[in-house]
Amino acid sequence: NAGVTQTPKFQVLKTGQSMTLQCAQDMNHNSMYWYRQDPGMGLRLIYYSASEGTTDKGEVPNGYNVSRLNKREFSLRLESAAPSQTSVYFCASSDPDRFYGYTFGSGTRLTVV
Amino acid sequence: AQSVTQLDSHVSVSEGTPVLLRCNYSSSYSPSLFWYVQHPNKGLQLLLKYTSAATLVKGINGFEAEFKKSETSFHLTKPSAHMSDAAEYFCVVSDREYGNKLVFGAGTILRVKS
């Protein structure tokens, strides 16, 4: 089925460790996004990529980096994980020229201890 | 700037009674508005969307929402709640002038009592 695939689904890190969350979409969408979800706060935008080769900061970018590897893939990296980064992370994609909302991945539940 | 206010953090209804989840938005231009649903430990599913066509929007599972520009509201309703409707619901605004970035409300948790 077409959609957005995120890996891993679950991860536990120790404070200071690094990791990369992977995201791939097969809908030929130009735009991709990383959100984090915390209780009572909805989803907040970390970084986005309007098109291949471009990335921009969202609402909460500190402590994260991203790479738009190609049109399909958009990764999120935590260089030195902190407990405040414990959250559920969602990747999404959209086609701005036919904008009917986003397609979301199933999420990555990250715990930093 | 865009923003969304979901007026109730929790709503509790009995099975078979109507559901009303309230949402107000702020957007400078012509917004697109969405409702997403998230069941426990699941991803987000699009319920319905408003993109400047008919102001009354019908979605999946019997939900609908009405866009009222004068009130800057986009409330979600369903005539008769079902146990499977228990979930968290997010009202979301987007605008092409802001790069189509989605701005989420804080969410409303819907509880359905038998």
Side-chain angles (χ1 to χ4, degrees), chain B residues 16-27:
Chain B
T17 65
V19 176
L20 170 63
L21 305 183
R22 299 181 295 165
C23 171
N24 288 111
Y25 70 92
S26 173
S27 181

Side-chain angles (χ1 to χ4, degrees), chain B:
Chain B
Q2 304 171 95
S3 66
V4 175
T5 302
Q6 291 184 242
L7 298 167
D8 306 290
S9 60
H10 293 79
V11 170
S12 183
V13 301
S14 297
E15 191 174 21
T17 65
V19 176
L20 170 63
L21 305 183
R22 299 181 295 165
C23 171
N24 288 111
Y25 70 92
S26 173
S27 181
S28 299
Y29 300 98
S30 299
S32 296
L33 292 155
F34 308 85
W35 278 97
Y36 282 85
V37 61
Q38 185 180 34
H39 288 90
N41 300 312
K42 299 291 186 184
L44 291 123
Q45 181 183 20
L46 180 65
L47 268 182
L48 50 79
K49 58 184 182 285
Y50 166 78
T51 54
S52 75
T55 56
L56 182 62
V57 182
K58 294 188 184 298
I60 62 172
N61 300 334
F63 284 95
E64 62 181 39
E66 186 172 8
F67 173 69
K68 292 187 176 180
K69 188 172 184 177
S70 61
E71 298 176 11
T72 60
S73 69
F74 191 57
H75 302 332
L76 182 70
T77 60
K78 183 173 180 177
S80 177
H82 191 273
M83 295 296 290
S84 61
D85 295 328
E88 188 164 18
Y89 292 79
F90 294 97
C91 182
V92 183
V93 66
S94 176
D95 197 301
R96 186 175 286 272
E97 295 293 330
Y98 296 101
N100 284 332
K101 293 190 290 293
L102 296 186
V103 175
F104 282 75
T108 298
I109 294 173
L110 175 65
R111 179 183 170 219
V112 181
K113 298 175 289 186
S114 59

Side-chain angles (χ1 to χ4, degrees), chain A residues 11-44:
Chain A
Q11 184 71 49
V12 178
L13 290 178
K14 294 182 178 178
T15 298
Q17 286 185 316
S18 62
M19 80 161 294
T20 299
L21 281 63
Q22 306 287 352
C23 175
Q25 53 93 7
D26 58 5
M27 296 169 287
N28 203 36
H29 285 169
N30 285 317
S31 301
M32 298 185 72
Y33 311 81
W34 277 105
Y35 283 84
R36 60 176 288 173
Q37 182 180 23
D38 302 292
M41 303 186 76
L43 275 71
R44 293 179 293 168

Side-chain angles (χ1 to χ4, degrees), chain A residues 23 25 30-33 48-49 68 71-72 74 91-93:
Chain A
C23 175
Q25 53 93 7
N30 285 317
S31 301
M32 298 185 72
Y33 311 81
Y48 67 101
S49 171
R68 184 72 182 268
K71 192 171 185 178
R72 290 187 65 248
F74 187 41
C91 178
S93 69

